[in-house]
Amino acid sequence: MTQTDVIVVGAGPTGLMLACELAQAGVRCRLLERRAEQPNITRAFAVHARTLELLDARGLADDLLARGVPVRQVAPAPGATLDLRKLRTRYPMVLIVPQSGTEHLLEARARELGVEIVRGAEVVGLRQDDRRVVVELAGGRTETASYAVGCDGAHSTVRGLAGIDFAGKQYQTHILLADVRVTEPPQDALFAEASDEGVVLMVPFGDGWFRAIAWDRLREQVPLDVPLPMEEMRDAFVRIAGTDFGMREQRWSSRFLSERRQAARYRAGRVFLAGDSAHVHSPLGAQGMNTGIGDAMNLGWKLAAVLRGRAPGGLLDSYERERHRVGAQVLTLTDAFNRLVLGRSAIRRALRNVTLRLALRYGRSRSFLAGRLTGLGIHYPPATRRAHPWTGRRMPDLRCAEGRLYELLRDGRPLLVDATPSGEVARAVGDTVKVARHEDPGVPGAVLVRPDGYVAWAADRGDLPGEAMAAVAQWCGAPAHAHPARP
């Protein structure tokens, strides 16, 4: 029997990100992966602006940028263009990068932090009590920990063993996927074309290969186990887009049936769900991996704070309260995209296209859609009505006296930003928490930033030193009394 603090099941982007968060905070974790080897299949390929900000908060964004292709404009519907360059972020783009590239980056960081990744470890049983979780593996070995997190995908074994319902539906349209080489690549980094016969996309991986995606109404009911030859993909592209871009080689292909499902709960006792284990949806909008990384960033620091004695166990309840809501919003967004693009009624599709074009003309509706698509608009509801309006919202990347704010978050610790002219808040909290000074008049007098880049508490009037000390005690605990928990 092997003992640790947290068992993470699933070594995809979500599981790797969570393991990195835990290890950086000094929490012992083991990452169990059923696959004996890393697959060479790329599923997710788009990294949105908010995910890049989260990776930047751990010093990983620049390395990922070097692996990908930035896209500065997207077209959610014909004639409706969203200019991402107008976003107020360091990363005004969608970064096109193979999922394997994201996984390699995160795995390298996890190993650097000392995470033990156990491949070929198939979970077959799980039981828990009020002190620990015991995970049973094929072959008879067991793993024991204080907590376990299922990051093992849409067909999650952990979710089933924890008895959590996965409610939703399957979409009827089969999607065609293939990795191809082309002789006449599209000029746009992210090519998309729609017609009455379907929708096609061509996405570059940056290494000469492209992901070809087609929703072909002529082939939407072909059984999933029927092989997908390159000739069928060529035909779909020619009929829908007028060209196949000279497809000449195919290394992988598949038929795919997407689903719209969400776990009824993200927690069952000492077992949590994150990533595709908790939510799956239409690939339109490229939200899956991005939402999963957001889950990991939210849960990681909370588990670490509880295990290290810096926060009460009730903090863990906020994970489901915050992220289940986000998952539901993502399902609503991707379902709307799916109906907009793939709806069977041509009249309804035309009306939706007109509605979306009108929405993108106006600042408020354009900002709302951009925030949902890129993740920059994600926020968490405050615990009380009297909370400052900044509470629960994404913290902007301020230029502080000590450096850029997201660089100051790279050690995974909370950060108190003091914008008072006299620096009274910084003096009051002393060295109980990391402090940065800022003089922007648009920033509240004091802001406590969570390790995941969201505002835990803010105030711009009243007894700022006293309130700041109370907020630090609530969210960060007293480091002098911190201690690592053991199963």
Side-chain angles (χ1 to χ4, degrees), residues 164-308:
I164 299 175
D165 188 31
F166 201 43
K169 66 179 182 180
Q170 284 186 333
Y171 290 108
Q172 297 302 310
T173 302
H174 294 185
I175 304 169
L176 313 182
L177 306 173
D179 287 354
V180 298
R181 286 190 183 276
V182 300
T183 58
E184 303 170 7
Q187 294 183 346
D188 297 334
L190 180 60
F191 173 85
E193 186 66 53
S195 76
D196 289 341
E197 297 198 43
V199 181
V200 293
L201 287 84
M202 185 73 78
V203 184
F205 287 149
D207 59 357
W209 289 93
F210 289 75
R211 167 60 52 83
I213 306 171
W215 288 265
D216 184 355
R217 290 191 170 84
L218 289 182
R219 309 290 292 172
E220 63 185 5
Q221 295 301 322
V222 175
L224 296 176
D225 57 355
V226 173
L228 172 59
M230 186 166 61
E231 290 71 21
E232 184 176 340
M233 185 65 83
R234 281 175 173 164
D235 177 67
F237 267 75
V238 169
R239 283 187 291 103
I240 296 169
T243 178
D244 65 2
F245 298 104
M247 293 183 195
R248 62 180 177 85
E249 184 180 353
Q250 178 173 288
R251 66 181 179 185
W252 170 83
S253 65
S254 178
R255 301 179 196 273
F256 173 70
L257 182 61
S258 64
E259 298 179 294
R260 181 192 189 278
R261 299 185 187 277
Q262 185 176 25
R265 295 173 291 151
Y266 283 13
R267 179 184 187 182
R270 291 179 170 268
V271 178
F272 295 83
L273 301 178
D276 287 355
S277 302
H279 43 74
V280 294
H281 34 75
S282 168
L284 289 171
Q287 298 293 308
M289 183 181 70
N290 294 274
T291 308
I293 290 176
D295 292 343
M297 291 288 286
N298 185 292
L299 180 59
W301 73 268
K302 294 174 180 178
L303 275 173
V306 171
L307 283 164
R308 297 302 299 259

Side-chain angles (χ1 to χ4, degrees), residues 195-470:
S195 76
D196 289 341
E197 297 198 43
V199 181
V200 293
L201 287 84
M202 185 73 78
V203 184
F205 287 149
D207 59 357
W209 289 93
F210 289 75
R211 167 60 52 83
I213 306 171
W215 288 265
D216 184 355
R217 290 191 170 84
L218 289 182
R219 309 290 292 172
E220 63 185 5
Q221 295 301 322
V222 175
L224 296 176
D225 57 355
V226 173
L228 172 59
M230 186 166 61
E231 290 71 21
E232 184 176 340
M233 185 65 83
R234 281 175 173 164
D235 177 67
F237 267 75
V238 169
R239 283 187 291 103
I240 296 169
T243 178
D244 65 2
F245 298 104
M247 293 183 195
R248 62 180 177 85
E249 184 180 353
Q250 178 173 288
R251 66 181 179 185
W252 170 83
S253 65
S254 178
R255 301 179 196 273
F256 173 70
L257 182 61
S258 64
E259 298 179 294
R260 181 192 189 278
R261 299 185 187 277
Q262 185 176 25
R265 295 173 291 151
Y266 283 13
R267 179 184 187 182
R270 291 179 170 268
V271 178
F272 295 83
L273 301 178
D276 287 355
S277 302
H279 43 74
V280 294
H281 34 75
S282 168
L284 289 171
Q287 298 293 308
M289 183 181 70
N290 294 274
T291 308
I293 290 176
D295 292 343
M297 291 288 286
N298 185 292
L299 180 59
W301 73 268
K302 294 174 180 178
L303 275 173
V306 171
L307 283 164
R308 297 302 299 259
R310 297 176 187 264
L315 177 64
L316 296 177
D317 293 333
S318 69
Y319 168 67
E320 178 178 309
R321 184 169 62 249
E322 293 178 347
R323 294 305 297 179
H324 196 281
R325 176 175 175 269
V326 171
Q329 291 173 343
V330 169
L331 261 68
T332 299
L333 175 70
T334 55
D335 193 50
F337 279 149
N338 203 81
R339 287 185 280 109
L340 173 68
V341 175
L342 303 179
R344 298 178 183 274
S345 168
I347 295 176
R348 287 186 178 181
R349 290 200 308 273
L351 288 173
R352 290 168 185 154
N353 288 343
V354 170
T355 300
L356 192 53
R357 285 196 292 269
L358 288 173
L360 291 178
R361 286 184 183 179
Y362 300 99
R364 180 171 295 182
S365 54
R366 184 172 60 245
S367 297
F368 175 81
L369 181 59
R372 285 291 180 89
L373 180 65
T374 64
L376 296 175
I378 289 174
H379 65 277
Y380 305 128
T384 67
R385 294 182 178 180
R386 295 182 299 173
H388 191 280
W390 278 47
T391 304
R393 297 191 175 273
R394 157 187 169 263
M395 186 65 181
D397 190 13
L398 304 175
R399 177 62 64 179
C400 302
E402 295 78 6
R404 192 163 57 82
L405 187 139
Y406 276 70
E407 290 178 340
L408 298 176
L409 288 173
R410 288 182 177 176
D411 59 3
R413 296 170 55 200
L415 176 68
L416 182 67
V417 178
D418 182 3
T420 59
S422 61
E424 56 184 341
V425 174
R427 289 196 303 272
V429 299
D431 59 359
T432 60
V433 69
K434 191 174 182 179
V435 176
R437 291 279 298 131
H438 194 270
E439 298 180 355
D440 189 330
V443 177
V447 183
L448 182 61
V449 185
R450 301 171 5 170
D452 59 356
Y454 289 88
V455 175
W457 165 87
D460 46 20
R461 61 177 60 90
D463 178 17
L464 295 188
E467 291 183 24
M469 292 177 67

Side-chain angles (χ1 to χ4, degrees), residues 59-77:
L60 295 167
D62 288 345
D63 288 341
L64 194 63
L65 284 173
R67 300 169 183 252
V69 178
V71 174
R72 311 288 183 178
Q73 290 182 318
V74 295

